[in-house]
Amino acid sequence: MQVDFDSLGSYLHQERERQQVSLQEIAAATKIQLKFLEALEHDAYDQLPATPFVVGFLRAYAQYVTLDPETVLTAYRSLHRAPEPPEVAPRPVPTPPPSSQRGQLIRLGVFLAVFGVITGLVLHELRRGQPTRSPVASFPAVLPGQAEKTPDAPGPVTPVVSRPEPPAARGEPSPCLTALGASEAASLPAPRTAGGGTDSPGALVLQATAVAATWLQVEIDGDKRHALLLASGKSVQWEASERFRLTVGNVRGIRLALNGQEISLQSGRSNVRRDMLLTRALLH
């Protein structure tokens, strides 16, 4: 059947009435609002959404009333084809006279030449003003004859693995941190006093034992700061005169003892504990 190109809506209405199909039935089957179907049959395209939606509505309507969707869409496009804008003749671009162009090129060439000469002179003067650097002879770290005068080597120093501050949000260790494994934890010596004992009189000794891999940062007496990743099952201890300031990246994975007395850690919602102050006041 040919489509009446003067009114696509009337054609759709006639085909629907001929097949005895109601708009409510089409709306229920296609999920298209009833007001949009009525606008299609009345050619009220200003009451419809954008063109892609109208195309979809027409395709679904045609399929439900067993019409050829392409025929209906061809009729819609032919009736609602946007007029082509009139062609506008391009305005001619005025070209400067040849004499002015030649003068501009000459001035530009003179400017570039002068600029190049000035730049070369400045670079030449700068190079002349730079002093010539003489090679510096290297000297040995220890001069001959001074090896006998060196003081006794200090006692063993507790090795630490330094790293940046822990991430603020998650409290997880940085990927570049070197973990304190079995060999490193075993090689950590306990702090020594001048008399050779393990604990100096009145000293605070903090011992940390990891039940899971835990990142630690400890500040000793407000001066020395160490950071390390303690592997599960390993322990480490530090000695201070007055206080420790401790940051723990995994509260549930660490056990702390101050001078042999276990310190309770309140994890709460966060598994990170920051700047925890440990002094003699915690000892009973």
Side-chain angles (χ1 to χ4, degrees), residues 19-142:
Q19 298 185 28
Q20 297 181 354
V21 178
S22 65
L23 285 177
Q24 290 79 4
E25 183 179 351
I26 298 177
T30 61
K31 308 300 180 183
I32 301 174
Q33 298 184 27
L34 184 61
K35 63 179 181 180
F36 292 153
L37 296 176
E38 292 176 347
L40 287 176
E41 291 191 351
H42 291 85
D43 295 319
Y45 296 103
D46 57 337
Q47 301 177 10
L48 293 171
T51 301
F53 293 97
V54 177
V55 172
F57 294 164
L58 289 173
R59 185 182 299 276
Y61 187 112
Q63 290 176 348
Y64 190 82
V65 296
T66 64
L67 295 175
D68 183 15
E70 296 303 324
T71 302
V72 174
L73 293 178
T74 301
Y76 169 74
R77 294 188 182 101
S78 63
L79 291 173
H80 297 276
R81 182 177 301 166
E84 297 181 357
E87 295 184 358
V88 179
R91 295 181 179 180
V93 179
T95 56
S99 59
S100 61
Q101 287 184 349
R102 186 180 301 106
Q104 291 177 359
L105 292 176
I106 293 174
R107 287 193 293 270
L108 179 60
V110 172
F111 171 77
L112 292 177
V114 173
F115 180 77
V117 171
I118 295 175
T119 303
L121 292 176
V122 171
L123 292 177
H124 179 68
E125 292 298 327
L126 288 177
R127 290 174 182 174
R128 289 181 57 187
Q130 291 180 353
T132 304
R133 296 184 180 180
S134 58
V136 179
S138 60
F139 294 92
V142 179

Side-chain angles (χ1 to χ4, degrees), residues 8 10 16 22 34 39-40 57 63 65 99 112 123 126 131 143 148 160 175 183 186 225 252 254 264 278 280:
L8 179 59
S10 299
R16 180 179 61 80
S22 65
L34 184 61
L40 287 176
F57 294 164
Q63 290 176 348
V65 296
S99 59
L112 292 177
L123 292 177
L126 288 177
L143 295 177
E148 296 79 9
V160 295
S183 59
R225 178 176 292 184
R252 302 182 185 91
I254 197 70
S264 176
L278 305 177
R280 300 179 191 278

